[in-house]
Amino acid sequence: MTVIEIVQGDITLQDTDAVVTAANESLMGGGGVDGAIHRAAGPRLAAAGAEIGPCDPGDAMATPAFDLYPPVRHVIHTVGPVWEGGDFGEAEILASCYRRCLEVADELGVRSLAFPAIATGVYGFPAEAAARIAVATVVGASSAVERVRLVAFDREGRDVLEAALASLRPPAGSHLDTAAR
Ligand code: APR
């Protein structure tokens, strides 16, 4: 059973076995959260990314975490969809990012994994829809990862994730609870 945590903070400071970066297809680093993780992990991360890339949108690939602080051992690079209005498979590509990251984490024996809000920055994916996809995909996955931490960079992002999680779980004991079943 995977426990989902929602936090507000910097993904480079999370004490999880692995962290996910919202990369571009080259895996050689960029801005946003990718830039922050590459700065924290050091230049070897871009070199390792160049060796295994390119990575297709919706896929995920792992490298060591290099200079990121313990216990982080792995960086899982995933490439989100560029938002083009919603009619070009963006939702499925984003769901695939979360699914593939969990699959790669399982292959590595990762027990705790931190995700940023993939694709909601430069790639322009609407935050609420992205949060619903993130939460639904993690809840629906059959992964051995024991703890998934969804890391929002700001309060608004955290509120959106918490609302998405709450919408999946009817209030315990409420009449909606039984109706929802
Ligand atoms: N910790 C946690 N979350 C962060 C951090 C951080 N240090 N820095 C940024 N974020 C958040 C942003 O606020 C946003 O909600 O990460 C989310 C994803 O935004 P981006 O980093 O812009 O990623 P994305 O929208 O997927 O665009 C990827 O941007 O940096 C380039 O190389 C990257 O081309 C790729 C594109």
Side-chain angles (χ1 to χ4, degrees):
M1 171 68 185
T2 300
V3 171
I4 299 179
E5 298 170 340
I6 293 171
V7 302
Q8 179 181 338
D10 186 331
I11 199 163
T12 64
L13 304 176
Q14 301 304 314
D15 60 344
T16 50
D17 294 346
V19 295
V20 171
T21 186
N24 59 55
E25 295 181 39
S26 75
L27 302 192
M28 292 174 66
V33 68
D34 201 29
I37 287 175
H38 275 264
R39 280 191 296 278
R44 289 181 290 172
L45 187 62
E51 271 185 33
I52 60 171
C55 178
D56 292 333
D59 198 0
M61 298 178 171
T63 65
F66 299 112
D67 301 339
L68 272 170
Y69 294 114
V72 182
R73 301 195 313 274
H74 308 284
V75 172
I76 298 179
H77 308 250
T78 193
V79 180
V82 174
W83 181 256
E84 297 179 279
D87 295 331
F88 296 89
E90 297 98 317
E92 181 39 50
I93 294 171
L94 184 59
S96 175
C97 287
Y98 285 93
R99 228 181 355 256
R100 283 290 301 130
C101 286
L102 288 168
E103 288 169 0
V104 170
D106 283 343
E107 290 160 13
L108 295 167
V110 161
R111 286 290 172 266
S112 56
L113 178 63
F115 282 100
I118 301 163
T120 62
V122 165
Y123 282 179
F125 205 110
E128 291 82 358
R132 285 195 297 274
I133 291 167
V135 166
T137 307
V138 172
V139 167
S142 57
S143 162
V145 174
E146 292 160 3
R147 194 154 49 92
V148 168
R149 185 176 294 168
L150 301 177
V151 182
F153 204 37
D154 52 33
R155 175 60 190 265
E156 184 188 358
R158 193 188 79 183
D159 291 348
V160 160
L161 283 166
E162 286 178 346
L165 187 58
S167 70
L168 276 187
R169 290 180 183 148
S174 72
H175 69 287
L176 287 179
D177 192 13
T178 49
R181 287 218 166 86

